[in-house]
Amino acid sequence: MQNHIRNTNLRFNLDKDQQRKAWEYLQTMDRQNFKSYSQVISLALVDYFDRYYRTQADPYLETREREELFVKQIVEAVEHSLKQSLPIFLSGLTAGMLERESPIRVPFPAPEKEQPDRDIDWDFLGE
């Protein structure tokens, strides 16, 4: 049976901010989600290098991701604003419609009967 396990040593210099931060993350990691240092380090390395190689192949990937995040934030802000203002708008619109359909109607004056013009000869109709 072949040995499929590889060992390596890690050394963290706590005087360097990034290495100290990495060490602190390892010490405070959630043991229910991450079972071992090996698991969390392998996850971090794979994620880092996958992203690194994608950005090497597509230099605008990070810019597009930022733009997509920005657009998503705008859409969420508009949706939130609409959720707050739409009920007020609709109630105002409904009130306006009710005012237009009010049962109180102003009567229009009745049209006056037209009197036939006396200068016209009405006999041409064949009488």
Side-chain angles (χ1 to χ4, degrees):
M1 184 166 148
Q2 291 182 342
N3 186 358
H4 292 284
I5 297 175
R6 301 289 183 257
N7 289 321
T8 188
N9 292 325
L10 289 174
R11 210 177 48 176
F12 294 97
N13 183 346
L14 302 182
D15 291 333
K16 296 183 178 182
D17 289 335
Q18 188 171 12
Q19 291 186 25
R20 182 179 29 66
K21 192 173 182 179
W23 176 251
E24 289 170 357
Y25 279 142
L26 287 174
Q27 299 309 301
T28 60
M29 69 182 185
D30 182 1
R31 293 289 182 162
Q32 291 183 358
N33 289 326
F34 306 106
K35 303 297 181 200
S36 65
Y37 289 161
S38 296
Q39 181 194 17
V40 78
I41 290 171
S42 65
L43 286 170
L45 284 171
V46 168
D47 184 59
Y48 176 83
F49 281 107
D50 281 350
R51 182 168 190 75
Y52 174 79
Y53 290 126
R54 276 192 320 223
T55 55
Q56 293 298 313
D58 183 3
Y60 297 107
L61 176 69
E62 189 170 313
T63 303
R64 276 197 316 276
E65 286 177 342
R66 285 184 189 158
E67 288 173 354
E68 289 170 2
L69 179 62
F70 181 64
V71 169
K72 182 180 177 187
Q73 290 172 340
I74 291 172
V75 168
E76 288 173 353
V78 169
E79 287 175 346
H80 178 72
S81 178
L82 279 175
K83 284 178 185 176
Q84 290 180 338
S85 62
L86 191 60
I88 296 168
F89 172 75
L90 290 176
S91 64
L93 183 63
T94 305
M97 290 172 61
L98 291 175
E99 286 178 9
R100 277 198 311 191
E101 296 178 5
S102 175
I104 302 172
R105 299 187 190 252
V106 177
F108 289 106
E112 296 180 15
K113 289 187 176 179
E114 292 185 23
Q115 299 295 327
D117 195 358
R118 300 196 191 275
D119 294 359
I120 299 175
D121 183 15
W122 292 97
D123 290 334
F124 76 91
L125 293 174
E127 291 182 8

